[in-house]
């Protein structure tokens, strides 16, 4: 991902933008990003991406989430909007209102809120 030689391997692809918020990170504020972002730490505020948001098992997000696709196995407490889909994976917890055209909730995960599809 960081090697210069890899950049030319897929010319014209915009999905090479990947951001990672590590397990020990504690972030407060707003994040706006185009591409894929993985959160394994704590985030309080807003996160916006047109790509994929991956929330790791130990991650905690409190606030507003907006993404193309949201895949969570961590904890989200807030309003979530996805233009493509939301996937709540075991042992994920999503508390809050969601808006998405498609949702999947894996057995063993939890959702508490309202869903607008």
């Amino acid at each position: 991902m960081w090697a210069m030689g890899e950049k030319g391997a897929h010319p014209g692809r915009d999905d090479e933008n990947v951001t990672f918020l590590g397990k020990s990170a504690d972030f407060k504020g707003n994040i706006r990003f185009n591409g894929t972002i993985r959160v394994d730490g704590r985030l309080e505020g807003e996160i916006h991406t047109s790509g994929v948001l991956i929330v790791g098992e130990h991650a905690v997000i409190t606030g507003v989430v907006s993404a193309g696709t949201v895949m969570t196995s961590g904890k989200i407490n807030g309003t979530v909007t996805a233009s493509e889909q939301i996937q709540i994976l075991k042992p994920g917890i999503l508390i809050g209102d969601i808006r998405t055209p498609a949702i999947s909730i894996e057995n063993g995960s939890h959702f508490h809120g309202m869903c607008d599809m």
Side-chain angles (χ1 to χ4, degrees):
M1 173 169 67
W2 288 279
M4 293 300 287
E6 290 181 17
K7 200 166 192 127
H10 305 287
R13 286 183 53 187
D14 291 332
D15 61 348
E16 293 178 2
N17 293 333
V18 177
T19 298
F20 184 76
L21 189 63
K23 197 174 186 179
S24 62
D26 192 358
F27 184 86
K28 291 184 181 181
N30 299 332
I31 297 176
R32 293 195 182 275
F33 190 79
N34 292 322
T36 300
I37 184 165
R38 179 176 174 104
V39 176
D40 282 324
R42 296 180 157 274
L43 184 138
E44 182 179 331
E46 297 183 15
I47 185 165
H48 303 275
T49 181
S50 57
V52 178
L53 169 64
I54 302 167
V55 181
E57 187 173 332
H58 302 288
V60 177
I61 296 178
T62 305
V64 176
V65 174
S66 174
T69 298
V70 176
M71 299 170 55
T72 181
S73 57
K75 182 174 184 180
I76 299 176
N77 190 345
T79 304
V80 180
T81 303
S83 60
E84 295 178 26
Q85 67 176 330
I86 295 175
Q87 297 178 3
I88 306 172
L89 308 170
K90 183 180 175 182
I93 299 171
L94 198 155
I95 300 170
D97 297 340
I98 61 176
R99 171 172 273 174
T100 182
I103 186 170
S104 66
I105 303 173
E106 188 175 51
N107 195 21
S109 61
H110 300 280
F111 169 62
H112 180 72
M114 299 201 38
C115 178
D116 182 13
M117 290 181 65

